[in-house]
PDB file of all heavy atoms in Angstrom:
ATOM      1  N   ALA A  20       3.353  20.537  22.487  1.00  0.00           N
ATOM      2  CA  ALA A  20       3.990  21.855  22.343  1.00  0.00           C
ATOM      3  C   ALA A  20       5.510  21.708  22.274  1.00  0.00           C
ATOM      4  O   ALA A  20       6.233  22.601  21.826  1.00  0.00           O
ATOM      5  CB  ALA A  20       3.627  22.777  23.448  1.00  0.00           C
ATOM      6  N   ASP A  21       5.996  20.556  22.700  1.00  0.00           N
ATOM      7  CA  ASP A  21       7.429  20.336  22.673  1.00  0.00           C
ATOM      8  C   ASP A  21       7.925  19.851  21.300  1.00  0.00           C
ATOM      9  O   ASP A  21       9.146  19.725  21.112  1.00  0.00           O
ATOM     10  CB  ASP A  21       7.836  19.258  23.739  1.00  0.00           C
ATOM     11  CG  ASP A  21       7.667  19.755  25.120  1.00  0.00           C
ATOM     12  OD1 ASP A  21       7.800  20.968  25.336  1.00  0.00           O
ATOM     13  OD2 ASP A  21       7.358  18.946  25.985  1.00  0.00           O
ATOM     14  N   TRP A  22       7.003  19.561  20.415  1.00  0.00           N
ATOM     15  CA  TRP A  22       7.446  18.958  19.115  1.00  0.00           C
ATOM     16  C   TRP A  22       7.915  19.959  18.109  1.00  0.00           C
ATOM     17  O   TRP A  22       9.013  19.773  17.571  1.00  0.00           O
ATOM     18  CB  TRP A  22       6.301  18.095  18.569  1.00  0.00           C
ATOM     19  CG  TRP A  22       6.766  17.365  17.399  1.00  0.00           C
ATOM     20  CD1 TRP A  22       7.649  16.281  17.408  1.00  0.00           C
ATOM     21  CD2 TRP A  22       6.440  17.600  16.060  1.00  0.00           C
ATOM     22  NE1 TRP A  22       7.889  15.918  16.122  1.00  0.00           N
ATOM     23  CE2 TRP A  22       7.120  16.675  15.271  1.00  0.00           C
ATOM     24  CE3 TRP A  22       5.566  18.522  15.429  1.00  0.00           C
ATOM     25  CZ2 TRP A  22       7.033  16.629  13.901  1.00  0.00           C
ATOM     26  CZ3 TRP A  22       5.494  18.459  14.048  1.00  0.00           C
ATOM     27  CH2 TRP A  22       6.194  17.527  13.315  1.00  0.00           C
ATOM     28  N   PRO A  23       7.165  20.982  17.751  1.00  0.00           N
ATOM     29  CA  PRO A  23       7.633  21.881  16.705  1.00  0.00           C
ATOM     30  C   PRO A  23       8.706  22.862  17.190  1.00  0.00           C
ATOM     31  O   PRO A  23       8.537  24.086  17.227  1.00  0.00           O
ATOM     32  CB  PRO A  23       6.373  22.573  16.174  1.00  0.00           C
ATOM     33  CG  PRO A  23       5.488  22.643  17.399  1.00  0.00           C
ATOM     34  CD  PRO A  23       5.854  21.443  18.258  1.00  0.00           C
ATOM     35  N   ARG A  24       9.871  22.304  17.549  1.00  0.00           N
ATOM     36  CA  ARG A  24      10.988  23.149  18.060  1.00  0.00           C
ATOM     37  C   ARG A  24      11.954  23.381  16.910  1.00  0.00           C
ATOM     38  O   ARG A  24      12.059  22.555  15.953  1.00  0.00           O
ATOM     39  CB  ARG A  24      11.712  22.392  19.180  1.00  0.00           C
ATOM     40  CG  ARG A  24      10.812  21.906  20.291  1.00  0.00           C
ATOM     41  CD  ARG A  24      10.067  22.982  21.010  1.00  0.00           C
ATOM     42  NE  ARG A  24      10.871  23.742  21.926  1.00  0.00           N
ATOM     43  CZ  ARG A  24      10.440  24.828  22.600  1.00  0.00           C
ATOM     44  NH1 ARG A  24       9.190  25.249  22.404  1.00  0.00           N
ATOM     45  NH2 ARG A  24      11.197  25.453  23.428  1.00  0.00           N
ATOM     46  N   PHE A  25      12.702  24.434  16.998  1.00  0.00           N
ATOM     47  CA  PHE A  25      13.740  24.706  16.024  1.00  0.00           C
ATOM     48  C   PHE A  25      14.955  23.844  16.304  1.00  0.00           C
ATOM     49  O   PHE A  25      15.256  23.549  17.482  1.00  0.00           O
ATOM     50  CB  PHE A  25      14.076  26.192  16.018  1.00  0.00           C
ATOM     51  CG  PHE A  25      12.899  27.099  15.729  1.00  0.00           C
ATOM     52  CD1 PHE A  25      12.778  28.296  16.374  1.00  0.00           C
ATOM     53  CD2 PHE A  25      11.894  26.704  14.871  1.00  0.00           C
ATOM     54  CE1 PHE A  25      11.681  29.118  16.141  1.00  0.00           C
ATOM     55  CE2 PHE A  25      10.793  27.517  14.632  1.00  0.00           C
ATOM     56  CZ  PHE A  25      10.689  28.770  15.293  1.00  0.00           C
ATOM     57  N   SER A  26      15.688  23.461  15.311  1.00  0.00           N
ATOM     58  CA  SER A  26      16.869  22.612  15.519  1.00  0.00           C
ATOM     59  C   SER A  26      18.014  23.007  14.590  1.00  0.00           C
ATOM     60  O   SER A  26      18.887  23.698  15.040  1.00  0.00           O
ATOM     61  CB  SER A  26      16.443  21.157  15.261  1.00  0.00           C
ATOM     62  OG  SER A  26      15.860  20.980  13.954  1.00  0.00           O
ATOM     63  N   THR A  27      17.963  22.611  13.366  1.00  0.00           N
ATOM     64  CA  THR A  27      19.101  22.856  12.465  1.00  0.00           C
ATOM     65  C   THR A  27      18.875  23.969  11.497  1.00  0.00           C
ATOM     66  O   THR A  27      19.627  24.174  10.544  1.00  0.00           O
ATOM     67  CB  THR A  27      19.389  21.575  11.667  1.00  0.00           C
ATOM     68  OG1 THR A  27      18.194  21.111  11.057  1.00  0.00           O
ATOM     69  CG2 THR A  27      19.894  20.486  12.592  1.00  0.00           C
ATOM     70  N   GLU A  28      17.821  24.781  11.711  1.00  0.00           N
ATOM     71  CA  GLU A  28      17.534  25.895  10.818  1.00  0.00           C
ATOM     72  C   GLU A  28      18.622  26.987  10.898  1.00  0.00           C
ATOM     73  O   GLU A  28      19.137  27.238  11.979  1.00  0.00           O
ATOM     74  CB  GLU A  28      16.173  26.550  11.164  1.00  0.00           C
ATOM     75  CG  GLU A  28      14.944  25.682  10.968  1.00  0.00           C
ATOM     76  CD  GLU A  28      14.718  24.735  12.115  1.00  0.00           C
ATOM     77  OE1 GLU A  28      15.439  24.780  13.170  1.00  0.00           O
ATOM     78  OE2 GLU A  28      13.763  23.924  12.064  1.00  0.00           O
ATOM     79  N   SER A  29      18.875  27.608   9.789  1.00  0.00           N
ATOM     80  CA  SER A  29      19.803  28.714   9.762  1.00  0.00           C
ATOM     81  C   SER A  29      19.050  30.005  10.221  1.00  0.00           C
ATOM     82  O   SER A  29      17.800  29.987  10.211  1.00  0.00           O
ATOM     83  CB  SER A  29      20.309  28.966   8.377  1.00  0.00           C
ATOM     84  OG  SER A  29      19.235  29.377   7.495  1.00  0.00           O
ATOM     85  N   ASP A  30      19.758  30.977  10.611  1.00  0.00           N
ATOM     86  CA  ASP A  30      19.104  32.242  10.963  1.00  0.00           C
ATOM     87  C   ASP A  30      18.266  32.775   9.851  1.00  0.00           C
ATOM     88  O   ASP A  30      17.170  33.304  10.045  1.00  0.00           O
ATOM     89  CB  ASP A  30      20.135  33.292  11.428  1.00  0.00           C
ATOM     90  CG  ASP A  30      20.747  32.971  12.743  1.00  0.00           C
ATOM     91  OD1 ASP A  30      20.211  32.156  13.507  1.00  0.00           O
ATOM     92  OD2 ASP A  30      21.842  33.560  13.082  1.00  0.00           O
ATOM     93  N   ALA A  31      18.731  32.626   8.630  1.00  0.00           N
ATOM     94  CA  ALA A  31      18.001  33.109   7.465  1.00  0.00           C
ATOM     95  C   ALA A  31      16.668  32.356   7.297  1.00  0.00           C
ATOM     96  O   ALA A  31      15.634  32.968   6.959  1.00  0.00           O
ATOM     97  CB  ALA A  31      18.844  32.930   6.202  1.00  0.00           C
ATOM     98  N   GLU A  32      16.687  31.055   7.574  1.00  0.00           N
ATOM     99  CA  GLU A  32      15.446  30.309   7.527  1.00  0.00           C
ATOM    100  C   GLU A  32      14.487  30.738   8.569  1.00  0.00           C
ATOM    101  O   GLU A  32      13.247  30.872   8.342  1.00  0.00           O
ATOM    102  CB  GLU A  32      15.746  28.817   7.586  1.00  0.00           C
ATOM    103  CG  GLU A  32      16.416  28.205   6.370  1.00  0.00           C
ATOM    104  CD  GLU A  32      16.819  26.742   6.582  1.00  0.00           C
ATOM    105  OE1 GLU A  32      17.504  26.449   7.546  1.00  0.00           O
ATOM    106  OE2 GLU A  32      16.426  25.885   5.735  1.00  0.00           O
TER     107      GLU A  32
END
Side-chain angles (χ1 to χ4, degrees):
D21 292 330
W22 188 70
R24 310 299 283 176
F25 302 145
S26 54
T27 53
E28 295 83 2
S29 66
D30 287 345
E32 288 176 306

